[in-house]
Amino acid sequence: MQNKRSGSLTLVPYYVWIALFVIAPIILVGYYSLLDLEGNFTFENYKNFLTPVYLKMTLSSFWYAFLITLFCLVVSYPAAFIISRLKNKQLWLMLIIIPSWINLLLKTYAFIGILGQSGPINAFLSAIGLEKQQMLFTSASFVFVSVYIFIPFMILPIFNSIDKLSPALLDASRDLGASRLYTLRRVMIPLTMDGIKAGIQAVFIPALSLFMITRLIAGNHVITLGTAIEQQFLVTQNWGMGSTIAVFLIIFMFIIMAFTGEKRKKGASRRDKN
């Protein structure tokens, strides 16, 4: 009984933290979403969100988040596999993680210099006799920079899953006559699915609410829910509409987390039964 009481007391700071910095802000955002510009109670913000303009913006946000997550996954999975087979894998993993410690704004401005008209890429094109290309303020540059920034968050969970995978399972599959592609599709990917799901959560959810990279790299060519929230709060000063967009964004994030987490729990329960 004494151990249970002491254990519950140690959780008090955690519950206080969750209440102050998670639950309270969500409640506050929900409260402001029900206010108009004059501070009167209204559901007009939610009606406005369901108009074609915001629905198109929502689809655009999901589309770019999907592209960023897909490219991160395509690059990260083979990279994580190669790193897991290297002798100094922890060193190589550290070299990939270190760029994520640099401030996001600094990395974004670095890419503005790299992709700009006076950047090294256009300087190289001019040196070989080609015309300079407008690489900034395009959707392609936005996706490229976002993928670079989010790749470490995809590689790390996938690497952990692959590193825990016994090489004997892959050897057994090949000894039984399975091809490399079949082994990858039916053995390796299913056994590392938890790492893939964790990586998708770590990339897709923040990519859904990007706004700083969208503004600085893509300009007005890419408009997402994150940029809409920024505009409503800082430009039009419509906190009610900005909070409404944030409410829907929070709902989308919880749905994604529930969708990916539910399958993981089901898989764990099946393994326990077996």
Side-chain angles (χ1 to χ4, degrees):
M1 182 65 71
Q2 187 67 26
N3 292 333
K4 290 183 178 180
R5 289 181 179 177
S6 59
S8 60
L9 288 176
T10 57
L11 294 176
V12 170
Y14 170 77
Y15 291 134
V16 172
W17 177 274
I18 293 295
L20 291 178
F21 299 105
V22 179
I23 298 176
I26 292 176
I27 294 175
L28 190 61
V29 168
Y31 168 74
Y32 276 111
S33 69
L34 298 172
L35 302 178
D36 59 14
L37 288 171
E38 287 75 28
N40 300 318
F41 180 84
T42 181
F43 285 104
E44 195 65 27
N45 295 323
Y46 287 89
K47 293 180 181 179
N48 292 334
F49 184 84
L50 298 177
T51 57
V53 174
Y54 286 101
L55 292 179
K56 183 180 179 180
M57 193 181 302
T58 302
L59 292 177
S60 176
S61 298
F62 272 90
W63 171 246
Y64 282 110
F66 169 77
L67 287 179
I68 294 168
T69 305
L70 177 63
F71 287 129
C72 283
L73 180 60
V74 170
V75 174
S76 298
Y77 200 92
F81 177 78
I82 294 172
I83 293 173
S84 66
R85 296 298 182 266
L86 295 177
K87 183 177 181 181
N88 299 319
K89 54 186 176 183
Q90 298 298 333
L91 174 62
W92 286 101
L93 189 65
M94 181 63 67
L95 293 176
I96 293 175
I97 295 175
I98 284 177
S100 64
W101 299 349
I102 302 174
N103 184 271
L104 179 60
L105 185 61
L106 293 178
K107 289 188 288 187
T108 305
Y109 274 110
F111 273 105
I112 291 176
I114 294 172
L115 301 176
Q117 289 289 330
S118 302
I121 297 179
N122 275 316
F124 173 76
L125 293 177
S126 299
I128 61 177
L130 297 178
E131 294 184 0
K132 292 184 177 181
Q133 301 295 322
Q134 176 59 42
M135 289 175 285
L136 280 177
F137 311 124
T138 62
S139 57
S141 62
F142 165 68
V143 173
F144 174 78
V145 174
S146 300
V147 168
Y148 167 80
I149 289 173
F150 284 119
I151 270 183
F153 303 102
M154 179 71 78
I155 287 182
L156 186 58
I158 294 178
F159 169 82
N160 290 332
S161 295
I162 294 177
D163 194 45
K164 294 176 183 177
L165 183 63
S166 175
L169 297 174
L170 304 181
D171 295 337
S173 177
R174 287 194 287 267
D175 291 341
L176 293 173
S179 63
R180 291 181 180 270
L181 181 61
Y182 186 88
T183 301
L184 174 66
R185 184 167 56 90
R186 299 301 299 271
V187 178
M188 190 171 178
I189 290 180
L191 292 176
T192 57
M193 187 56 68
D194 285 349
I196 294 174
K197 290 179 181 178
I200 290 174
Q201 285 186 358
V203 173
F204 189 90
I205 292 177
L208 197 60
S209 58
L210 285 173
F211 71 93
M212 184 176 66
I213 301 175
T214 310
R215 287 290 190 192
L216 297 177
I217 300 296
N220 294 324
H221 290 271
V222 176
I223 304 297
T224 62
L225 293 176
T227 54
I229 293 173
E230 179 203 21
Q231 185 175 12
Q232 293 293 339
F233 273 99
L234 301 181
V235 180
T236 64
Q237 296 291 313
N238 190 348
W239 287 30
M241 194 62 214
S243 299
T244 302
I245 302 172
V247 167
F248 279 98
L249 191 59
I250 292 171
I251 293 173
F252 295 148
M253 291 178 179
F254 276 117
I255 291 174
I256 295 167
M257 293 176 65
F259 179 75
T260 55
E262 184 180 0
K263 291 185 177 180
R264 192 183 307 171
K265 291 179 181 178
K266 288 182 179 178
S269 62
R270 288 177 183 175
R271 287 194 298 268
D272 293 339
K273 290 180 180 178
N274 293 333

